[in-house]
Amino acid sequence: MMKRIELFALACIAALVASAQRASFDIIPLPKEVKTESAQLFTLTAGMGISYDEDNAECRRIAEFLKEWVGEATGMELQLTPGAKTSSIRLAIIAPVKKGKKASQPETATMIEQEKESYTLAINKKGILLSAYEPVGLFRAAETLRKSLPVVKESNGVELPFVTITDQPRFSYRGVLLDCGRHFFSVEFIKQFLDVMALHGCNQFHWHLTEDQGWRFEVKALPDLAKKGSIREKTVVGPSNMRIYDNIPYGGYYTQEECREVVRYAAERYINVVPEIDMPGHMQSALHVFPNLGCTGGPYPVAPHWGVMREVLCGGNPQTLEFLKTVFGELCDVFPSPYIHIGGDECPKERWKDCPKCQAKIKELNLTADNSIKVEGGDNRGSQDGRSAENKLQTYINHEIEQFLASRGRSLIGWDEILAGGLTEDAIVMSWRGTKGGVAAARQNHRVIMSPNVYAYIDHPQLKDYSKQPRTTDSYQVSCSKMYSFEPVVPEELTEEQQDCILGVQANLWTEQVAYPEHAFYQLLPRLASMSEVQWCKPEQKDFESFKARLPKLEKLYDKLGVVYCKQVE
Ligand code: ACM
Ligand code: ZN
């Protein structure tokens, strides 16, 4: 039998565990404005209600998410109370009022993207009010509330200081790339990845679906493409140039049904899926299946090692364009994204220089080298020649695909090498070899996404001491602080109008060295937290020391979600 004093001690401990905890708005990304108007508190307790417009399915889903998140953080179960006027948590869609415009005008059509995502989170004696112009804004507000809650095992009440938070993202495009070509990741993992993206307020999942080392997208008209192109016979072990292989076949691809499921899951979290088919380089897996599409005729293995391959699609073979239109056609059927990524990076031209078909096409199109044009954006592997005839041939292919995509109502994104042969009319440039390509494109009034390798490549190590982390792409460190310090818009480089061309910023997770979900999350976190403040916050709001102080709270949520993250922040 327990003594009375022991029972009392146990009761005290239990009361401590379950007592009311305090919420804090020191979250990541930091909201634009947090006004605490008084020292008063609202106490949220189990059983309280969440109300929303019962005719709005999106609002219902957001209410369900919020219920789940409150339960996850605090153990408290709330109730869904659709339509109720006096619930403790209310989700409200409000009509936008635009300055200088008549209230009768349809505002939503003219609303800029960031405004659509804006929201207010107000807490007072009546409870917690989340309001926004669109459901996406309510979703962002719900995420903010989620991150403000204490993360505990159980709670019998959370005290929330009276506050008015108003928020809006700085950029409309807030992306993360996952390379599923070098290594294949399951749909289940991708869903977890999307959950983590949503937690950080990201809204574009750039899905890199094809690589020299594996074709991952089912094309129904070309069934062998994924069946055979997805499998490499072996994979290099250790440094690629050592050519030591594991001799184990490796493969996997996504059916169109699975891709649609990813699109659906992402859309529920207000994430658009930007699919990438990387061409005309990085195509060796397709060449393996269709060797006639290469300049030499092959044979070509699905690449078993990493690097830039000289075997690329033949630019002079009319079947190349036919093939691409079939692939991009089915891609458009599956992915509703307004943006389709065509790759365009690292396409060596040595085969094209020697290929009779490529040279005949160059002649037919009357493409001539124009080496007096200095291609801004720097250069490396593959397009060293400035505006060579071969680079112009790549632009010709891009133009054909741009027209094709435009007929489906989509815009083309390409890596910054697409500058080399001249940009096609509507091309959006994703600047990866630093920011120069992006700046050059913005100066030509093209839309730009900044993803410079030295700040945004999360396949690189995050710690200075490489021995303290899993093997990664080495050569340089992209620490949390380095990523945090990235400023994508430099006013000295661009006029105000050109600055508006910068749609946003993206972090890229290439997976040559990343074969497992745990490792992928380790590379991603907590650097995605750094990236989220680059994507959401104005420069004057950013402060790395403040960020570091806010990070442990977010890490508690990582723990709850069961995702691996790097515990050291440099
Ligand atoms: C790239 O990293 N090759 C876009
Ligand atoms: Zn050729």
Side-chain angles (χ1 to χ4, degrees):
M1 267 261 283
M2 269 197 197
K3 284 196 200 114
R4 212 177 251 196
I5 192 148
E6 285 169 333
L7 282 170
F8 177 72
L10 276 177
C12 287
I13 291 167
L16 264 179
V17 168
S19 66
Q21 286 94 1
R22 186 72 55 93
S24 146
F25 307 112
D26 288 336
I27 62 167
I28 294 173
L30 196 62
K32 204 168 159 191
E33 194 176 83
V34 180
K35 269 200 219 153
T36 34
E37 277 132 13
S38 78
Q40 286 173 279
L41 301 165
F42 172 78
T43 304
L44 184 68
T45 54
M48 285 183 164
I50 307 175
S51 72
Y52 53 91
D53 174 359
E54 51 200 322
D55 298 328
N56 189 323
E58 280 188 76
C59 290
R60 175 179 184 90
R61 199 170 51 232
I62 295 161
E64 284 166 355
F65 275 132
L66 189 53
K67 175 173 151 59
E68 181 191 320
W69 293 337
V70 171
E72 176 186 78
T74 67
M76 296 192 306
E77 190 166 350
L78 302 184
Q79 290 182 61
L80 296 185
T81 50
K85 293 271 181 296
T86 55
S87 302
S88 305
I89 301 183
R90 283 161 295 140
L91 309 184
I93 296 286
I94 53 169
V97 184
K98 269 270 179 83
K99 294 165 225 109
K101 296 215 171 165
K102 290 197 194 92
S104 60
Q105 277 180 295
E107 299 291 353
T108 321
T110 59
M111 205 189 278
I112 58 166
E113 288 302 313
Q114 290 98 311
E115 252 179 85
K116 285 186 190 169
E117 294 190 77
S118 66
Y119 66 87
T120 301
L121 174 63
I123 300 173
N124 55 35
K125 63 178 186 305
K126 283 197 233 158
I128 303 169
L129 175 64
L130 296 76
S131 50
Y133 302 129
E134 307 252 341
V136 59
L138 287 183
F139 184 80
R140 305 281 172 238
E143 285 280 16
T144 289
L145 179 56
R146 172 196 196 182
K147 285 182 271 192
S148 304
L149 298 172
V151 181
V152 290
K153 223 178 183 159
E154 60 177 298
S155 172
N156 59 9
V158 172
E159 296 169 343
L160 296 112
F162 285 12
V163 76
T164 305
I165 295 176
T166 43
D167 200 10
Q168 170 172 321
R170 180 178 179 201
F171 293 106
S172 64
Y173 186 110
R174 306 182 301 278
V176 185
L177 171 145
L178 179 66
D179 168 12
C180 292
R182 271 54 174 263
H183 283 102
F184 177 80
F185 291 88
S186 68
V187 169
E188 187 194 359
F189 168 76
I190 288 172
K191 287 182 174 178
Q192 240 189 325
F193 195 86
L194 291 164
D195 285 337
V196 169
M197 280 180 62
L199 179 68
H200 293 82
C202 304
N203 69 345
Q204 305 289 333
F205 173 53
H206 176 167
W207 199 1
H208 188 77
L209 282 165
T210 62
E211 259 309 333
D212 297 302
Q213 295 81 9
W215 184 280
R216 310 282 175 227
F217 173 63
E218 178 191 30
V219 178
K220 288 192 193 280
L222 306 168
D224 278 352
L225 189 51
K227 269 196 197 112
K228 296 184 178 162
S230 63
I231 299 167
R232 57 178 179 259
E233 280 181 6
K234 55 188 181 179
T235 303
V236 74
V237 182
S240 203
N241 61 356
M242 297 292 170
R243 301 290 196 258
I244 299 168
Y245 299 97
D246 62 4
N247 296 321
I248 302 168
Y250 181 93
Y253 68 89
Y254 306 101
T255 64
Q256 292 196 358
E257 205 178 317
E258 287 172 323
C259 293
R260 286 197 166 95
E261 172 59 13
V262 168
V263 168
R264 185 200 64 76
Y265 191 88
E268 283 188 353
R269 286 147 186 82
Y270 298 92
I271 295 171
N272 173 55
V273 182
V274 182
E276 179 185 356
I277 301 290
D278 197 349
M279 66 91 189
H282 288 288
M283 268 280 162
Q284 206 170 297
S285 58
L287 292 178
H288 171 68
V289 186
F290 301 115
N292 60 311
L293 298 180
C295 293
T296 65
Y300 311 99
V302 177
H305 47 255
W306 324 123
V308 176
M309 312 294 157
R310 66 181 168 178
E311 306 299 348
V312 302
L313 291 179
C314 175
N317 183 346
Q319 288 174 329
T320 292
L321 279 176
E322 249 175 70
F323 165 80
L324 289 173
K325 287 178 187 175
T326 302
V327 170
F328 281 108
E330 292 200 22
L331 198 73
C332 288
D333 292 342
V334 172
F335 294 95
S337 172
Y339 315 117
I340 301 288
H341 205 302
I342 61 147
D345 59 322
E346 298 178 319
C347 179
K349 300 298 183 318
E350 58 187 280
R351 291 297 191 213
W352 288 14
K353 282 191 171 135
D354 293 337
C355 170
K357 284 195 207 118
C358 286
Q359 290 305 317
K361 191 72 190 174
I362 283 171
K363 214 163 165 199
E364 178 199 320
L365 296 170
N366 204 17
L367 305 177
T368 52
D370 201 347
N371 288 326
S372 63
I373 296 182
K374 181 172 170 346
V375 177
E376 282 187 85
D379 234 322
N380 75 355
R381 305 176 295 185
S383 46
Q384 294 89 338
D385 305 308
R387 198 145 294 172
S388 65
E390 286 75 20
N391 282 340
K392 287 185 178 179
L393 182 58
Q394 185 172 345
T395 291
Y396 162 76
I397 296 171
N398 294 347
H399 176 76
E400 289 289 310
I401 299 304
E402 180 173 271
Q403 298 287 304
F404 178 80
L405 293 175
S407 76
R408 308 286 299 257
R410 319 303 178 89
S411 292
L412 164 164
I413 304 180
W415 298 108
D416 59 59
E417 283 92 335
I418 64 170
L419 281 149
L423 289 177
T424 52
E425 200 182 340
D426 186 40
I428 302 170
V429 171
M430 191 168 268
S431 191
W432 74 278
R433 297 170 302 171
T435 54
K436 280 191 190 148
V439 169
R443 285 183 179 153
Q444 297 174 45
N445 291 316
H446 279 258
R447 289 172 290 170
V448 168
I449 297 149
M450 290 294 194
S451 190
N453 46 4
V454 290
Y455 291 101
Y457 270 36
I458 52 176
D459 52 323
H460 283 261
Q462 40 194 329
L463 304 179
K464 203 181 286 138
D465 184 346
Y466 291 6
S467 70
K468 285 194 179 151
Q469 60 206 308
R471 190 190 153 77
T472 51
T473 309
D474 38 28
S475 74
Y476 55 85
Q477 179 197 14
V478 179
S479 62
C480 256
S481 57
K482 173 90 184 180
M483 182 171 261
Y484 194 86
S485 71
F486 179 50
E487 173 43 50
V489 180
V490 180
E492 291 75 35
E493 292 177 329
L494 298 172
T495 65
E496 257 177 49
E497 199 182 325
Q498 289 164 349
Q499 289 172 31
D500 286 343
C501 291
I502 313 291
L503 296 183
V505 192
Q506 179 171 289
N508 294 343
L509 181 50
W510 300 103
T511 61
E512 286 94 334
Q513 309 298 338
V514 180
Y516 302 103
E518 293 81 358
H519 189 180
F521 278 127
Y522 180 93
Q523 294 301 118
L524 186 69
L525 302 173
R527 283 185 286 195
L528 191 57
S530 281
M531 179 49 80
S532 76
E533 296 222 334
V534 178
Q535 293 174 334
W536 274 79
C537 302
K538 292 249 157 63
E540 56 275 18
Q541 245 191 311
K542 283 170 62 195
D543 172 9
F544 189 66
E545 288 309 312
S546 145
F547 167 84
K548 264 206 316 201
R550 285 177 279 123
L551 191 56
K553 187 164 157 63
L554 186 59
E555 287 175 340
K556 281 192 178 174
L557 266 179
Y558 296 164
D559 289 331
K560 274 266 170 170
L561 295 173
V563 291
V564 176
Y565 57 97
C566 177
K567 302 225 160 117
Q568 196 173 322
V569 173
E570 292 181 353

